[in-house]
Amino acid sequence: MKRKFGIGLAVLVIMIVIGLGFAGNYFYDVAVAINQKDFIEAADVDGDYDPKDPWLEEKKWYDEVNREKLSIESADGLKLSGVYIAGEPTSKKVAVLAHGYAGSLEQMAPYVKLYHDMGFNVLVPDARGHGTSEGDYIGFGWHERKDYLQWIQLMIDKVGEDAELALFGISMGGATVMNVSGEDLPSNVKVIVEDCGYSSLTGELAYQLKDMYDLPAFPLIPVTSLVTKVRSNYWFGEADTVEQVKKNKVPMLFIHGAEDKFVPTEMVYDVYETNSSTKELYIAPNADHADSYEENKEEYKQKVQDFVQSYIPD
């Protein structure tokens, strides 16, 4: 009887392990692998203009402005691509932008124009696995932080040792620049603006797992993290934005939509409170995820201009 019970228990354990392995790979494919994300609204980047588009002027300007294609090779051998839009010939100011999850540099027109109008040269990379950059997984701003250190150095080499850099990111890009803030940055980086980045990858994925599937974080998050470590060489727990921001020494503006239901608004307080550098917080009224600029154009623009120009004046 004991032997039969032991065999039955072993079979049950094996079935559970197989089931968890299947679930971990399934959620890896949903969240981490590069593929069509059905839960993300596809952006219109086909060149057709909607006269009702609130960003019509910015998109037309972006499509017509002169640009230079740049690239770097990441530490793990990926060719990463970006676009550089020059400002005034004598300008030493550079804004390095980071787009969101499952997006591309082509979606950043409003932010490119915002910084270009402030007199900045602007660099917009495609994150690894996005747009025209190589890669088969999403690093959620963790592996990307190392890529951005290379982009930063490329801008210093291009513009000069006296270059003054501003970093800006939205959504996953916000998490990216916050993760970059915890690295050993050159003194050229003067200011950082993050918009609706998450306070930790584990926390964001646990929130989405509950919101989208009504499933608990345990054991699915640890199992999917293990799969991610095997397939993409990082644990979810590594990508802890709060821990990176704790090390930040650069002035940072934190922005979040008051009605954000994708990266819940309360996450911004976690990173804002742990940051010990000069900082400011802007909770944008009536704004859902990544909509703070669209919903509050003039106020958003003024907040960004006032903060950035305090550290990189005209």
Side-chain angles (χ1 to χ4, degrees):
M1 185 69 177
K2 288 183 178 180
R3 186 168 181 272
K4 288 182 178 180
F5 176 78
I7 293 173
L9 181 61
V11 170
L12 178 61
V13 170
I14 291 170
M15 290 176 65
I16 291 172
V17 170
I18 292 173
L20 287 173
F22 174 83
N25 278 280
Y26 171 81
F27 284 112
Y28 174 91
D29 288 338
V30 169
V32 184
I34 297 297
N35 51 45
Q36 178 62 42
K37 306 298 183 187
D38 294 335
F39 55 93
I40 299 291
E41 183 179 352
D44 181 13
V45 293
D46 61 6
D48 293 334
Y49 298 120
D50 180 353
K52 297 180 181 179
D53 189 338
W55 300 119
L56 180 62
E57 177 187 343
E58 288 82 358
K59 288 179 179 178
K60 284 185 175 180
W61 171 87
Y62 178 80
D63 287 343
E64 294 169 2
V65 72
N66 291 330
R67 67 193 68 197
E68 178 184 355
K69 293 182 179 179
L70 300 177
S71 65
I72 58 171
E73 182 176 325
S74 69
D76 51 349
L78 299 175
K79 182 180 179 181
L80 306 179
S81 303
V83 164
Y84 178 79
I85 298 171
E88 295 296 325
T90 58
S91 176
K92 294 295 184 177
K93 304 193 297 184
V94 184
V96 183
L97 277 53
H99 66 74
Y101 178 85
S104 75
L105 62 84
E106 296 298 333
Q107 299 169 15
M108 296 295 285
Y111 305 97
V112 174
K113 192 170 191 304
L114 171 61
Y115 281 89
H116 195 268
D117 286 350
M118 292 165 60
F120 281 83
N121 305 290
V122 184
L123 171 70
V124 199
D126 272 329
R128 53 175 56 215
H130 294 72
T132 57
S133 289
E134 293 180 348
D136 59 5
Y137 70 89
I138 298 170
F140 285 96
W142 185 243
H143 282 185
E144 290 83 352
R145 82 194 194 286
K146 295 293 189 181
D147 302 335
Y148 268 73
L149 292 177
Q150 291 182 244
W151 286 118
I152 288 168
Q153 187 57 52
L154 180 65
M155 289 297 96
I156 296 171
D157 294 340
K158 184 176 181 64
V159 175
E161 290 297 322
D162 54 347
E164 296 183 298
L165 273 64
L167 307 183
F168 170 85
I170 186 163
S171 191
M172 187 183 81
T176 298
V177 297
M178 285 192 283
N179 285 330
V180 173
S181 79
E183 300 299 312
D184 186 15
L185 292 173
S187 60
N188 305 76
V189 178
K190 304 297 185 181
V191 64
I192 300 173
V193 179
E194 78 84 19
D195 185 339
C196 65
Y198 36 83
S199 55
S200 75
L201 177 53
T202 298
E204 174 61 12
L205 293 178
Y207 173 83
Q208 291 299 333
L209 191 63
K210 180 66 176 176
D211 184 61
M212 294 173 61
Y213 298 95
D214 197 25
L215 290 171
F218 184 85
L220 292 174
I221 294 296
V223 169
T224 309
S225 180
L226 174 60
V227 172
T228 303
K229 180 63 176 177
V230 171
R231 295 177 63 176
S232 299
N233 195 33
Y234 70 98
W235 300 97
F236 291 162
E238 293 178 66
D240 191 330
T241 317
V242 166
E243 290 303 313
Q244 287 294 101
V245 170
K246 280 181 181 178
K247 298 179 283 184
N248 176 43
K249 300 176 182 177
V250 180
M252 190 180 300
L253 171 61
F254 297 84
I255 300 172
H256 219 98
E259 308 299 328
D260 196 336
K261 301 297 190 297
F262 193 81
V263 175
T265 307
E266 56 262 28
M267 280 193 169
V268 73
Y269 297 102
D270 296 333
V271 285
Y272 176 77
E273 290 169 5
T274 199
N275 182 74
S276 60
S277 71
T278 304
K279 59 189 176 183
E280 187 174 320
L281 175 63
Y282 171 48
I283 302 298
N286 306 312
D288 200 344
H289 186 65
D291 284 340
S292 294
Y293 191 10
E294 181 176 336
E295 292 295 329
N296 304 273
K297 276 191 176 181
E298 294 308 315
E299 186 175 44
Y300 186 105
K301 184 183 297 185
Q302 196 65 54
K303 291 284 186 182
V304 171
Q305 288 176 343
D306 289 348
F307 194 83
V308 170
Q309 291 175 342
S310 293
Y311 304 97
I312 308 179
D314 291 333

